[in-house]
Amino acid sequence: MTHEIQDMQQYVTSLAQEAKAASVPLGRSTDAERVAAVRAMAQALRAHADEVLAANAEDMRSARAAGTSEGLLDRLLLTPERIEGMAAGLEALAALPDPVGRVLEHRTISEGLDLTKVSVPLGLVAMVYEARPNVTADAAGICIRTGNACILRGGSIAQHSCVAIAHVLADAIEAQGLPRAAVSIIETTDRAATGVLMSLRGIVDVLIPRGGAGLISRCVREAQVPVIETGTGNCHIYVHESADFDKARAIILNAKTQRVGVCNAAESLLVDEAVAPVFLPLALRDLADAGVTIHGDAVAAAVATTDAVVGKHFAPATEEDWGREYLALEMSVKTVSGLDEAIAHINRYGTHHSEAIIAEDQAACERFLAEVDAAAVYANASTRFTDGGEFGLGAEIGISTQKLHARGPFAAEALTTYKYEIRGTGQIRP
């Protein structure tokens, strides 16, 4: 066992050191070189789609045999359309202005020194993620576009897919004259590899975990390198007493059912008690007809006793349900006394991801937007829009629920830092 641990330490450390070395010439590359590389990555995905789909089919077979939930299977699945989406995301990245070398500030300081604050790459970005092979392309593309090397650690359930995509992308950048090691992937499913990666202080410049609460909490707890935390999504829809019912019903169904296994899907529904007697029977029937299991409070339970369809999809809510990210066709439902209780409930049980109010009362909307503590707060729109592509950022590397460095969907600019360049003519400090 000691020998195996030493071998894993050596394997991951060596891989990271090679990636770190690759970050130096990559950081010196021109915008044109990086744009060409990212475009080549997009074309390579299209050209090798059959290979990637074959690897994904192997992962899907294993996942189904293991009894993986439908929500996770949806995250894992690749289709020709999803591969095209990955390629299009890379091309959108290539079209963005150069995030490196931006002059953030320029002024003259003490003794006539010329000071310029300039954006620069972070260096080596480590990405640890679970059952979403598309993250491989997103992360690699964003890193190359920003002059960063990356070392990727995909989840065991998606191992064949992630490795196949990483190899295609590494081949593409190598053909463009950039170092192949700038897109590196750990090719073992041993959990010990993640532990080694998180310990590489001085080699890894930043670690970004993307996945479930268990993975994220482990990285935050154990990492010896800086972490940008991408959070889970217990996202709420609050239906205010002034809400347009048709608008609210459409938003709830979209936010909950359009794609259930993603972090910006709605997991909790709050309904103002002033409209609950009329609105809840409509909303709960919509959810039940869509196959959603409703974890409801006493008011929702009363609806379930009078509607047989709702009753078949109903379970009494527990305290745990208010803070749960289901990633499935399940939703908690609670009646609240008004805007004050809705905001308090969301700030207590939410994960600071995406929250929405449905209301025609503009003052209520503005108060909700101002007082709810989340990375993205919506008035009269679905939480499903919290996405780098939808926000015009190109492919995203994650959605941060923390408050330092990056918050919400983050992409190219969030993978740069800055340095001060000071030019003088011989000045000394008096």
Side-chain angles (χ1 to χ4, degrees), residues 5-191:
I5 293 172
Q6 290 175 340
D7 287 347
M8 184 63 68
Q9 180 81 33
Q10 182 178 4
Y11 165 62
V12 176
T13 302
S14 177
L15 195 67
Q17 287 173 333
E18 291 175 8
K20 180 73 168 183
S23 73
V24 177
L26 185 61
R28 293 197 300 259
S29 63
T30 66
D31 180 48
E33 289 170 334
R34 286 180 274 110
V35 166
V38 174
R39 286 179 176 155
M41 292 162 77
Q43 290 304 315
L45 277 178
R46 295 187 177 104
H48 295 274
D50 288 345
E51 298 169 32
V52 173
L53 289 172
N56 184 248
E58 188 171 352
D59 286 331
M60 290 294 293
R61 282 192 295 270
S62 299
R64 287 195 177 100
T68 303
S69 70
E70 287 300 318
L72 283 179
L73 286 175
D74 178 61
R75 284 189 169 196
L76 175 61
L77 176 65
L78 291 178
T79 63
E81 293 75 19
R82 289 185 178 181
I83 290 178
E84 175 56 33
M86 291 156 58
L90 290 171
E91 289 177 334
L93 269 172
L96 292 175
D98 188 4
V100 178
R102 291 176 295 125
V103 175
L104 306 176
E105 184 180 352
H106 182 210
R107 56 194 171 90
T108 301
I109 60 170
S110 176
E111 302 299 314
L113 290 169
D114 182 272
L115 179 146
T116 309
K117 183 180 179 182
V118 183
S119 64
V120 295
L122 291 170
L124 176 58
V125 176
M127 186 83 184
V128 181
Y129 51 105
E130 291 179 332
R132 294 186 67 173
N134 64 294
V135 173
T136 306
D138 291 348
I142 292 168
C143 286
I144 296 302
R145 185 70 186 91
T146 54
N148 293 290
C150 63
I151 180 166
L152 308 173
R153 174 68 162 111
S156 59
I157 194 174
Q159 181 71 1
H160 295 96
S161 307
C162 294
V163 169
I165 293 168
H167 285 178
V168 167
L169 301 179
D171 288 344
I173 66 166
E174 186 176 36
Q176 293 294 312
L178 295 179
R180 180 185 180 84
V183 176
S184 296
I185 187 164
I186 295 173
E187 298 188 37
T188 175
T189 58
D190 193 327
R191 283 173 53 88

Side-chain angles (χ1 to χ4, degrees), residues 409-427:
F410 65 100
E413 287 190 12
L415 289 192
T416 62
T417 183
Y418 56 82
K419 67 180 179 182
Y420 292 98
E421 297 177 349
I422 302 95
R423 295 171 175 86
T425 55
Q427 289 92 333

